[in-house]
Amino acid sequence: MQLLDGKFVSEKLKQQIAIEAAEILVKTGRKPHLVAILVGHDGGSETYVASKIKSCEKVGFNSTLYRYESSITEVELLKKIDEINQDPETDGILVQLPLPKHISADKVTEKISPEKDVDGFHPVNLGRMQRNLPSFLPATPYGILLMLQEYGIETSGKHCVVIGRSNIVGSPMSILMARNTNPGNCTVTICHSKTPDIKKFSLDADILIVAIGKKNFVTADMVKDGAIVIDVGMNRETSTETKSGYKLFGDVDFENVAPKASWITPVPGGVGLMTIVGLLKNTLASAKKEIY
Ligand code: GUN
């Protein structure tokens, strides 16, 4: 078994991003600028947004964080997004999900200008992605592609099984793995909550991507010998063992699955760190006007 080391790869790619950001600053006199919006006080979201902002600083981007209480109305939030859409000093906008129930994530996603949609969630970017046109790719799937690329993992002709069909990971991931690109060119199966026997499919997977949000969902008996296993799970549990007061668990029973896998991502230290790289690369591409 070999580790797909998100810490190593993300640090390496962030160094390259920092070099490009410095070049942009010399050429244009400005830094790439990401605006993040956080509504409410969800513990996971607080941590992820803080980490995104810190990474911006690290690679020499500007960042702005707008924080709102859960009581903000949908109209107020949409108005703020409109304002940022118009601001020529902003290259990328992200609204951290999930949002409170009274705010429609779909409306918010569609309000963000596709040209600043560095999360790649806008239907215009998703449609362009599906057509293999220049687009911002959703940050987590993008990070996974970068990881596969970095380790030179051949995906063409392989059977890729994606467990989970979320808008953020499972659904775009399945499209990307089936596209005529490298990485890509897989035969793709998507499993979800209504799939009666997930094991039947997962056992045939050469590449198994798990994004279902359930701790230890994938056990060793569900994995083929030599499979490549990508664990997108970010299941937080409170813990007295850590300084932060919580511990992160993946969707894969790492201890028992790892000996069977040819390659596997750890949690933490795997896909989560690559998501941030995907976001930074999109923001850089926006500042360089590479997509639109
Ligand atoms: N919530 C979980 N993952 C993500 C992400 O990649 N972007 C945003 N905006 N919210 C998330």
Side-chain angles (χ1 to χ4, degrees):
M1 177 276 293
Q2 285 176 282
L3 213 56
L4 293 163
D5 185 346
K7 191 160 169 48
F8 173 77
V9 176
S10 66
E11 288 303 325
K12 179 178 162 189
L13 296 184
K14 280 197 274 190
Q15 278 177 21
Q16 292 170 4
I17 293 167
I19 291 168
E20 290 199 53
E23 285 168 4
I24 291 175
L25 181 59
V26 169
K27 266 195 210 145
T28 67
R30 59 180 292 272
K31 300 175 177 182
H33 182 196
L34 175 74
V35 172
I37 299 180
L38 175 60
V39 180
H41 297 276
D42 175 80
S45 293
E46 297 251 11
T47 310
Y48 306 143
V49 169
S51 173
K52 290 171 186 180
I53 296 288
K54 201 171 141 203
S55 296
C56 280
E57 255 171 55
K58 235 185 126 187
V59 298
F61 289 6
N62 266 338
S63 62
T64 305
L65 171 62
Y66 292 107
R67 298 201 57 144
Y68 297 101
E69 291 301 322
S70 302
S71 55
I72 187 173
T73 65
E74 188 179 90
V75 170
E76 284 169 323
L77 184 59
L78 294 175
K79 194 166 156 252
K80 185 68 197 172
I81 293 169
D82 236 355
E83 240 174 63
I84 309 167
N85 280 339
Q86 311 298 330
D87 173 19
E89 295 302 313
T90 301
D91 300 295
I93 308 172
L94 79 86
V95 178
Q96 189 66 25
L97 303 176
L99 286 166
K101 282 199 176 62
H102 65 279
I103 300 176
S104 157
D106 283 327
K107 277 194 196 166
V108 165
T109 300
E110 291 205 44
K111 179 56 81 176
I112 296 171
S113 161
E115 293 165 34
K116 297 189 179 185
D117 169 39
V118 288
D119 256 333
F121 294 165
H122 193 288
V124 165
N125 279 314
L126 293 172
R128 291 174 66 104
M129 172 191 80
Q130 193 268 339
R131 293 274 193 96
N132 208 358
L133 294 168
S135 69
F136 295 115
L137 301 181
T140 300
Y142 188 15
I144 292 170
L145 295 187
L146 291 167
M147 176 99 99
L148 292 170
Q149 214 164 35
E150 198 56 35
Y151 282 95
I153 288 174
E154 181 59 69
T155 60
S156 183
K158 301 257 174 84
H159 183 201
C160 175
V161 175
V162 180
I163 304 181
R165 58 176 162 185
S166 69
N167 291 334
I168 292 179
V169 185
S171 175
M173 194 74 238
S174 62
I175 294 169
L176 288 164
M177 293 306 276
R179 288 196 320 182
N180 184 2
T181 50
N182 180 26
N185 282 314
C186 288
T187 304
V188 176
T189 301
I190 310 172
C191 297
H192 49 72
S193 55
K194 300 290 190 292
T195 306
D197 185 5
I198 290 181
K199 182 175 168 180
K200 184 171 99 184
F201 299 100
S202 65
L203 264 179
D204 189 56
D206 304 309
I207 304 171
L208 184 61
I209 303 178
V210 195
I212 198 161
K214 288 186 183 152
K215 180 182 167 186
N216 291 348
F217 180 84
V218 169
T219 45
D221 60 311
M222 294 170 72
V223 178
K224 179 163 86 172
D225 275 327
I228 296 156
V229 181
I230 313 279
D231 187 351
V232 188
M234 296 272 248
N235 306 298
R236 278 161 60 97
E237 286 186 4
T238 50
S239 166
T240 50
E241 289 168 32
T242 59
K243 241 193 335 191
S244 61
Y246 71 88
K247 219 172 155 180
L248 213 52
F249 295 91
D251 291 347
V252 174
D253 173 10
F254 183 89
E255 198 184 325
N256 295 304
V257 170
K260 291 185 87 176
S262 58
W263 295 91
I264 188 166
T265 59
V267 176
V271 171
L273 299 170
M274 295 305 298
T275 294
I276 295 184
V277 173
L279 175 71
L280 295 174
K281 280 187 78 83
N282 279 339
T283 307
L284 189 70
S286 180
K288 291 167 83 176
K289 306 266 182 274
E290 279 179 353
I291 311 287
Y292 292 98

